[in-house]
Amino acid sequence: MSEESAPGPKESPLAARQAGSREVWKKGGRLLSVLLAVNVLLLACTLISGGAFNKVAVYDTDVFALLTTMMLLASLWILFYLLRTVRCPDAVPYRDAHAGPVWLRGGLVLFGICTLVMDVFKTGYYSSFFECQSAIKILHPLTQAVFVVVQTYFLWVSSKDCIHVHLDLTRCGLMFTLTTNLAIWMAAVVDESVHQTHSYDSSHSNASHLHLAPDRESGSSVGGDCSCNTAICQIFQQGYFYLYPFNIEYSLFASTMLYVMWKNVGRLLASSTHSHGHTPSRVSLFRETLFGGPILGLMLFVVGLAVFIIYEVQVSGEGGRTQQALVIYYSFNIICLGLMTLVSLSGSVIYRFDRRAMDHHKNPTRTLDVALLMGAALGQYVISYYSIVAVVVGTPRDLLGVLNLAHALLMIAQHTFQNVFIIESLHRGPPGAEPHDTTPKEPCHGLTFANVDALHTLPACPPTPRVVGTNPVGPQEAMAIILAPRGHWRRRCLKDISLFLLLCNVILWIMPAFGARPHFSNTVEVDFYGYSLWAAIVNICLPFGIFYRMHAVSSLLEVYVLS
Amino acid sequence: MSEESAPGPKESPLAARQAGSREVWKKGGRLLSVLLAVNVLLLACTLISGGAFNKVAVYDTDVFALLTTMMLLASLWILFYLLRTVRCPDAVPYRDAHAGPVWLRGGLVLFGICTLVMDVFKTGYYSSFFECQSAIKILHPLTQAVFVVVQTYFLWVSSKDCIHVHLDLTRCGLMFTLTTNLAIWMAAVVDESVHQTHSYDSSHSNASHLHLAPDRESGSSVGGDCSCNTAICQIFQQGYFYLYPFNIEYSLFASTMLYVMWKNVGRLLASSTHSHGHTPSRVSLFRETLFGGPILGLMLFVVGLAVFIIYEVQVSGEGGRTQQALVIYYSFNIICLGLMTLVSLSGSVIYRFDRRAMDHHKNPTRTLDVALLMGAALGQYVISYYSIVAVVVGTPRDLLGVLNLAHALLMIAQHTFQNVFIIESLHRGPPGAEPHDTTPKEPCHGLTFANVDALHTLPACPPTPRVVGTNPVGPQEAMAIILAPRGHWRRRCLKDISLFLLLCNVILWIMPAFGARPHFSNTVEVDFYGYSLWAAIVNICLPFGIFYRMHAVSSLLEVYVLS
């Protein structure tokens, strides 16, 4: 809820005057929808967290019923919105060019398809013992499938809208849909954590620790006396647990797009043709790298996959080889994180010699990207700091402890420097826009005049129109090459760096997303904090860490295209 | 980290141009200091939370050592800052009139004095068994006393500064000091929770629940074999636990002021005389109410004090009367919250007939106030939603269950409507500034021109200077009375409402701050969630609820003065 009453440089003054009477106080409308969202979200959060604890008398049917209701209501609102905007084209006078870029929408569709497959598996799983199951458990994945289809279509066509009718209703509807996605995300994270804990429980069945929800899986989740014994049922169950990460990502992608739409409700833009030349040149997309980055990244990716498979085989096999698996896993991670830290740092160093102007334009999508990168990194920060304290304060210091410490420290360094690099990259202007070109342009076109007389005291504004117009590819490219020949190797370096980081983030995403949990194989933290506390920390924070990798990949793709 | 590149209406364009070369990218400097703060805060958080768990081998001496080091470093930085600004008067070219209002600074001094008393008690307590204690436990309160004195002086003289030298260093210093305050706050909250749990433990010693940290108080906190047996030592111990709420508030007040200073680093203001007429008229401060609100509020305050004392006596006395105490406590709270909800609602209704313009000016202090009100209310929301689920899903429904449910529902309604009322009040312009007076003024003086030519297409701006200038009291007051005679009873009503809400918030602050815990006396939630989960929820969320009351009081005072 930041103060944004001063319209940004892209907002149109005439439109602002006309709209002045229509909405007296923007924050009031926002406040209303945020209050609705907070209350619905807290109710969902209470039920979901209550349902996760085995001793608490909240059943997962309650949670399913709530989620199904929310998804139905959200779908109805979306259909209402689509009908209204189709029948009244004046409702959306402006479109935000930064919102819903094509890779975000593409990712949404991809994850949406995976979620649909997961819903099929879930329906199949629960249908296997239909007799002793409440109907809501089969209704829930079916409703989710409908919701995913409706919402994906809605976000594909409407994510750039700046709507100007029924402002309060639209804000509330968007916030409610956002809340629904967050509730689905929470439910998925909780379900996955319970599954993880159950796996740990069955593999360490002689341990007498306290568990978060040890027999929910075999008890209430399956519902009564039935169990999953047939082969097809087992496949369905395995399958839908492997597809959870995609469902989690789908919900988060949809949430970010809905948030940007919510910020854009009632927003006034000067004209929809001002796209700042951020559209990439399709021709040069894949021929401007030095090939060093992608090749090194691909090598690390392949080695990482091998390490991951070895780790999984050795840890899940019978005992004695966990130690060896952990040494291999940590060694690979330390090398990978160390390289990524160095590469991010060199990227920041290159920016010190870069003369491109900073892009100061208002851009809710970018603001959200930055906030998400910083916020999601907190998850891995927390895990790392708890690891560091456990290793440093704990008494036994062996090879594994040293590796763990190095891993945690490098994890912090890597997240920090990668965030600095990505955030700095996202704030650079388009390539070729050297500061001597843009600096006098910005204060003239994008300035606020507290006093109208002050205008005449300013130096004359250059009357040149923006080169970065509707056709940004040709002249921009040419200018960049002619004016700044040295800039070209910097651009290539930056593209290499972003591709390398992208590939590394993918492999570091695959490992935790598909079940590597050195946090529990390694006994240092479990012994130091006790199982229940450490499981709570890891299960709450790791999903954020996984989301961070995913989000870093999409941001690095943007950096690659823009640099 | 919101996008604020578009300078607000109060920023000076010429100054912005001059400063353009000095700081290329404001967000970069902010990013650096936020990263520092996040890392230090997470380290402190890890150690403090680790120290709170009895089984974990982090001792409270480690925590004290960390806090002492942080306070010493922060004090040194503050002294460096003060020296620098004294020796170089050009360092602070602008002062933000909204930052550090006098009641915030007054509250800071008040809580600072209470914290000093607490430090004396703590030093006395630990000195009672000096022999078997590590030196850091006595060093810690002494360092804290020095830190409180230095910081209170610093915030008193510098809280309005918009500093323009050593931007990055100042940001990092401010963020480090802020982090220190948050760490002190976390340590105090954890210590108080452990104390509460210990009290519960000793009063329910036959219960066999799992406790958060059951014998820390008698064990590690006192350190070894010594115990607190002498009368003076007991007094010291009791005393410093009762003074914790003030220390918690001191840290939070200081944090908010430091945050506003951090936001103001490098900020450019048009001129320091533009104070928007928000200075209250001292003459009319106490003669513009209908006296209904304060009288009803005082009555509720006195009754509330009596209820609180009866509750404490009956609950701490020997058994059987807890039920009766809870019925009295809940009944009073339901009446009080119901009245507050109705009064807040009627305040919002009055605003629907109010023709004063909304104040759209950029104001970091107000933005932070709004964020804190909304954020701190989450604590009470969470507790209420967990209570509602426990009562609705749980089977036994007696009188106490119904009272508990009504209490939780009214708590949510009261927080929501009070927040809406306060936030709307804070965004109103000064009294007498009717919209027909200000609406044409705002778009002309505070507008962004994306295209300079558009200026000539606008209707002529009225060349009248701002009435709300250096001497806002006289003409403003007169105009309000002459132009809007009906506005006067509205103002009186609003003043009454804010005073009534203020007194109610004070009594609702006193009850939990001084130890009323119906959450544990009442067995509904404890039985439903189990002691450890419910204690974790209450101990994490209740400090936010207490802070909310405190913050609402200061905001309502501002509303009273402004309306």
Side-chain angles (χ1 to χ4, degrees):
Chain A
M1 302 264 295
S2 63
E3 307 249 344
E4 289 172 14
S5 53
K10 279 182 70 191
E11 322 251 328
S12 132
L14 283 172
R17 284 173 58 81
Q18 285 157 8
S21 56
R22 213 187 304 157
E23 187 167 33
V24 180
W25 189 41
K26 196 182 208 176
K27 280 171 118 181
R30 287 189 173 175
L31 183 64
L32 199 74
S33 55
V34 167
L35 280 173
L36 171 79
V38 163
N39 281 287
V40 175
L41 193 64
L42 282 178
L43 180 63
C45 178
T46 311
L47 276 178
I48 291 169
S49 68
F53 283 88
N54 211 32
K55 289 175 193 160
V56 178
V58 177
Y59 299 109
D60 49 2
T61 47
D62 300 340
V63 178
F64 283 147
L66 178 79
L67 289 179
T68 309
T69 317
M70 286 174 76
M71 285 190 291
L72 281 178
L73 284 175
S75 304
L76 284 179
W77 178 79
I78 289 174
L79 291 177
F80 169 69
Y81 177 95
L82 289 173
L83 268 180
R84 200 178 44 185
T85 47
V86 164
R87 290 178 58 185
C88 169
D90 296 342
V92 186
Y94 310 101
R95 291 173 72 84
D96 179 5
H98 294 292
V102 72
W103 52 84
L104 201 58
R105 286 186 290 160
L108 188 81
V109 171
L110 183 73
F111 293 131
I113 291 168
C114 294
T115 306
L116 288 179
V117 175
M118 189 194 80
D119 286 329
V120 170
F121 279 30
K122 250 187 169 168
T123 316
Y125 170 69
Y126 284 123
S127 305
S128 307
F129 29 90
F130 180 68
E131 314 78 44
C132 46
Q133 198 72 257
S134 75
I136 193 78
K137 290 202 177 172
I138 298 170
L139 210 61
H140 174 252
L142 293 176
T143 316
Q144 192 175 22
V146 172
F147 174 69
V148 166
V149 170
V150 170
Q151 181 176 254
T152 309
Y153 174 73
F154 164 65
L155 289 176
W156 185 270
V157 298
S158 311
S159 62
K160 291 177 188 296
D161 288 5
C162 300
I163 197 163
H164 276 81
V165 289
H166 301 300
L167 296 177
D168 287 344
L169 182 68
T170 309
R171 285 206 186 98
C172 287
L174 284 171
M175 263 292 154
F176 183 78
T177 315
L178 173 61
T179 310
T180 308
N181 279 290
L182 289 179
I184 295 171
W185 169 70
M186 276 195 293
V189 166
V190 165
D191 220 18
E192 211 195 359
S193 299
V194 169
H195 178 69
Q196 290 283 350
T197 313
H198 176 64
S199 312
Y200 179 86
D201 197 37
S202 58
S203 67
H204 294 70
S205 52
N206 54 345
S208 63
H209 295 293
L210 177 92
H211 296 295
L212 206 65
D215 19 285
R216 186 188 174 214
E217 199 54 35
S218 53
S220 62
S221 158
V222 179
D225 301 294
C226 312
S227 61
C228 182
N229 290 324
T230 59
I232 183 115
C233 172
Q234 295 271 354
I235 290 170
F236 280 142
Q237 191 184 12
Q238 288 288 325
Y240 91 72
F241 272 112
Y242 271 104
L243 287 166
Y244 259 130
F246 298 103
N247 183 23
I248 291 172
E249 292 306 324
Y250 175 80
S251 306
L252 289 172
F253 267 51
S255 302
T256 58
M257 290 171 83
L258 287 165
Y259 175 77
V260 171
M261 280 187 76
W262 177 78
K263 286 284 271 188
N264 279 337
V265 169
R267 195 172 165 211
L268 304 153
L269 296 172
S271 112
S272 53
T273 52
H274 265 284
S275 68
H276 285 291
H278 273 200
T279 323
S281 147
R282 275 179 202 286
V283 188
S284 66
L285 206 63
F286 287 107
R287 57 169 212 212
E288 286 197 342
T289 59
L290 297 171
F291 290 108
I295 288 171
L296 189 58
L298 268 180
M299 273 169 56
L300 274 178
F301 183 83
V302 173
V303 173
L305 268 188
V307 166
F308 174 57
I309 292 165
I310 293 170
Y311 171 83
E312 283 288 293
V313 170
Q314 291 197 338
V315 166
S316 59
E318 54 271 3
R321 303 179 70 183
T322 309
Q323 181 88 3
Q324 193 190 337
L326 279 171
V327 171
I328 295 174
Y329 182 89
Y330 279 129
S331 305
F332 169 75
N333 268 276
I334 288 170
I335 293 169
C336 186
L337 292 171
L339 282 175
M340 288 168 81
T341 310
L342 287 178
V343 166
S344 304
L345 257 177
S346 60
S348 295
V349 169
I350 289 177
Y351 278 128
R352 294 285 81 75
F353 298 101
D354 197 13
R355 290 182 304 153
R356 278 190 286 160
M358 302 308 290
D359 180 12
H360 289 291
H361 293 96
K362 190 175 158 184
N363 183 344
T365 313
R366 185 174 58 195
T367 308
L368 178 66
D369 272 353
V370 171
L372 283 178
L373 279 175
M374 298 286 286
L378 283 183
Q380 196 60 57
Y381 276 152
V382 169
I383 295 178
S384 295
Y385 273 109
Y386 275 95
S387 285
I388 291 171
V389 168
V391 174
V392 171
V393 178
T395 35
R397 281 181 206 165
D398 51 353
L399 173 67
L400 219 55
V402 173
L403 285 176
N404 197 352
L405 183 65
H407 179 249
L409 287 172
L410 275 173
M411 198 63 114
I412 294 172
Q414 191 266 325
H415 276 78
T416 307
F417 289 112
Q418 180 168 292
N419 271 350
V420 169
F421 172 72
I422 294 177
I423 293 170
E424 191 161 6
S425 305
L426 292 179
H427 281 85
R428 291 280 153 172
E434 300 284 323
H436 61 81
D437 188 38
T438 50
T439 307
K441 204 189 285 175
E442 296 306 318
C444 280
H445 288 264
L447 207 88
T448 304
F449 297 105
N451 179 1
V452 182
D453 296 330
L455 192 65
H456 307 293
T457 66
L458 292 177
C461 295
T464 47
R466 259 180 197 280
V467 186
V468 195
T470 44
N471 181 21
V473 184
Q476 276 292 321
E477 288 285 287
M479 212 168 71
I481 293 164
I482 295 164
L483 286 182
R486 280 189 314 157
H488 211 59
W489 71 258
R490 279 205 300 268
R491 274 181 70 184
R492 288 194 166 192
C493 268
L494 289 174
K495 278 189 186 293
D496 259 39
I497 287 171
S498 51
L499 269 189
F500 171 75
L501 289 177
L502 191 150
L503 287 165
C504 288
N505 275 292
V506 170
I507 184 67
L508 290 182
W509 171 73
I510 288 176
M511 288 184 177
F514 290 94
R517 290 286 180 281
H519 320 85
F520 296 111
S521 314
N522 182 357
T523 55
V524 177
E525 294 100 342
V526 175
D527 290 347
F528 190 77
Y529 294 109
Y531 184 78
S532 60
L533 176 60
W534 182 238
I537 295 168
V538 172
N539 284 334
I540 292 171
C541 296
L542 199 61
F544 288 99
I546 295 173
F547 174 70
Y548 174 81
R549 293 293 170 199
M550 178 68 78
H551 194 71
V553 167
S554 83
S555 296
L556 284 165
L557 193 63
E558 195 169 345
V559 170
Y560 172 75
V561 172
L562 294 186
S563 63
Chain B
M1 304 265 295
S2 63
E3 307 249 344
E4 289 172 16
S5 52
K10 280 182 68 191
E11 321 247 331
S12 134
L14 283 174
R17 282 174 60 80
Q18 286 158 8
S21 57
R22 214 187 303 157
E23 188 169 31
V24 180
W25 189 42
K26 198 183 209 176
K27 281 172 119 181
R30 289 191 172 173
L31 183 66
L32 199 74
S33 56
V34 167
L35 281 172
L36 171 78
V38 163
N39 281 287
V40 175
L41 193 64
L42 283 177
L43 181 63
C45 179
T46 312
L47 276 179
I48 290 169
S49 67
F53 284 87
N54 212 31
K55 289 175 194 159
V56 178
V58 177
Y59 300 107
D60 49 1
T61 46
D62 299 341
V63 177
F64 282 148
L66 178 78
L67 289 178
T68 308
T69 316
M70 285 174 77
M71 287 190 289
L72 281 178
L73 285 175
S75 304
L76 283 178
W77 178 80
I78 289 173
L79 291 176
F80 168 69
Y81 178 95
L82 288 173
L83 267 180
R84 201 178 43 186
T85 48
V86 164
R87 289 178 58 182
C88 168
D90 297 343
V92 186
Y94 311 101
R95 291 174 73 82
D96 180 6
H98 295 291
V102 73
W103 50 82
L104 200 59
R105 286 185 290 161
L108 188 81
V109 171
L110 184 73
F111 294 130
I113 291 168
C114 293
T115 306
L116 288 180
V117 175
M118 189 195 82
D119 286 329
V120 170
F121 279 29
K122 249 187 171 168
T123 315
Y125 170 67
Y126 285 122
S127 305
S128 306
F129 28 89
F130 179 69
E131 314 78 44
C132 46
Q133 199 70 258
S134 75
I136 194 79
K137 291 202 175 171
I138 298 171
L139 210 61
H140 173 252
L142 293 177
T143 316
Q144 193 175 21
V146 173
F147 173 68
V148 166
V149 170
V150 170
Q151 181 176 255
T152 309
Y153 174 73
F154 164 66
L155 289 175
W156 185 270
V157 298
S158 310
S159 62
K160 291 178 188 297
D161 289 4
C162 301
I163 197 164
H164 277 81
V165 288
H166 302 299
L167 296 176
D168 287 343
L169 182 67
T170 309
R171 285 205 185 99
C172 287
L174 284 171
M175 264 291 154
F176 184 77
T177 315
L178 174 62
T179 310
T180 308
N181 279 290
L182 289 179
I184 295 170
W185 169 71
M186 277 195 293
V189 166
V190 165
D191 219 18
E192 211 195 358
S193 301
V194 168
H195 178 69
Q196 288 283 352
T197 314
H198 176 64
S199 310
Y200 179 85
D201 196 38
S202 58
S203 67
H204 293 71
S205 52
N206 54 345
S208 64
H209 295 293
L210 177 92
H211 297 294
L212 205 65
D215 20 284
R216 190 191 173 215
E217 199 54 32
S218 53
S220 63
S221 157
V222 179
D225 301 296
C226 310
S227 60
C228 183
N229 291 324
T230 59
I232 182 113
C233 171
Q234 296 271 352
I235 291 170
F236 280 144
Q237 192 184 11
Q238 288 288 323
Y240 90 73
F241 273 113
Y242 272 104
L243 287 167
Y244 259 130
F246 298 103
N247 182 22
I248 290 172
E249 294 306 323
Y250 176 80
S251 305
L252 289 173
F253 268 52
S255 301
T256 58
M257 291 170 83
L258 286 165
Y259 174 77
V260 171
M261 280 187 76
W262 176 79
K263 287 282 272 189
N264 279 336
V265 170
R267 194 172 165 212
L268 303 153
L269 297 171
S271 113
S272 52
T273 52
H274 264 284
S275 69
H276 286 290
H278 272 202
T279 324
S281 147
R282 275 178 202 285
V283 188
S284 65
L285 206 62
F286 287 107
R287 55 168 212 213
E288 289 197 340
T289 59
L290 298 172
F291 290 109
I295 289 170
L296 189 59
L298 269 180
M299 274 168 56
L300 274 178
F301 183 83
V302 173
V303 173
L305 268 187
V307 167
F308 174 58
I309 292 165
I310 293 169
Y311 171 82
E312 283 288 293
V313 169
Q314 291 198 339
V315 166
S316 59
E318 53 271 6
R321 304 179 70 184
T322 309
Q323 182 88 3
Q324 194 190 338
L326 279 171
V327 170
I328 296 175
Y329 181 89
Y330 279 129
S331 306
F332 169 75
N333 268 275
I334 287 169
I335 293 168
C336 186
L337 292 171
L339 281 175
M340 288 168 80
T341 309
L342 288 178
V343 166
S344 304
L345 258 177
S346 60
S348 296
V349 169
I350 289 177
Y351 278 129
R352 294 284 81 74
F353 298 100
D354 196 13
R355 290 184 302 153
R356 277 189 286 159
M358 302 307 292
D359 179 12
H360 289 291
H361 293 96
K362 190 173 158 184
N363 183 344
T365 312
R366 184 175 60 195
T367 309
L368 178 65
D369 273 353
V370 171
L372 284 179
L373 279 175
M374 298 284 286
L378 283 183
Q380 196 60 57
Y381 275 152
V382 169
I383 294 178
S384 296
Y385 274 108
Y386 275 95
S387 286
I388 291 171
V389 168
V391 175
V392 171
V393 178
T395 36
R397 279 177 209 170
D398 51 354
L399 173 67
L400 219 56
V402 172
L403 285 176
N404 196 351
L405 183 64
H407 178 249
L409 286 172
L410 275 173
M411 198 63 115
I412 293 172
Q414 190 267 325
H415 276 79
T416 307
F417 290 113
Q418 180 169 290
N419 270 350
V420 169
F421 172 72
I422 294 178
I423 292 171
E424 190 161 9
S425 304
L426 292 179
H427 282 86
R428 292 277 152 175
E434 300 285 322
H436 60 81
D437 187 38
T438 51
T439 305
K441 205 188 283 174
E442 296 306 317
C444 281
H445 289 264
L447 208 91
T448 303
F449 296 106
N451 179 2
V452 181
D453 297 329
L455 192 63
H456 306 293
T457 66
L458 293 177
C461 295
T464 47
R466 259 177 199 280
V467 185
V468 197
T470 44
N471 182 20
V473 184
Q476 278 290 320
E477 288 284 288
M479 212 167 74
I481 293 162
I482 296 164
L483 287 182
R486 282 189 311 153
H488 212 59
W489 71 259
R490 280 205 300 268
R491 273 181 72 184
R492 290 195 166 190
C493 268
L494 289 173
K495 277 188 187 291
D496 259 37
I497 288 172
S498 50
L499 269 190
F500 171 76
L501 289 176
L502 191 150
L503 287 165
C504 289
N505 275 291
V506 170
I507 184 68
L508 291 181
W509 171 72
I510 287 175
M511 289 185 177
F514 289 95
R517 291 286 181 280
H519 320 85
F520 296 110
S521 314
N522 183 356
T523 55
V524 177
E525 294 100 343
V526 174
D527 290 347
F528 190 78
Y529 295 109
Y531 183 78
S532 59
L533 175 61
W534 182 237
I537 295 168
V538 172
N539 283 333
I540 291 171
C541 296
L542 199 61
F544 287 99
I546 295 173
F547 173 70
Y548 174 82
R549 294 291 170 200
M550 178 68 77
H551 194 72
V553 167
S554 83
S555 296
L556 284 165
L557 193 62
E558 194 169 346
V559 170
Y560 172 75
V561 172
L562 293 186
S563 63

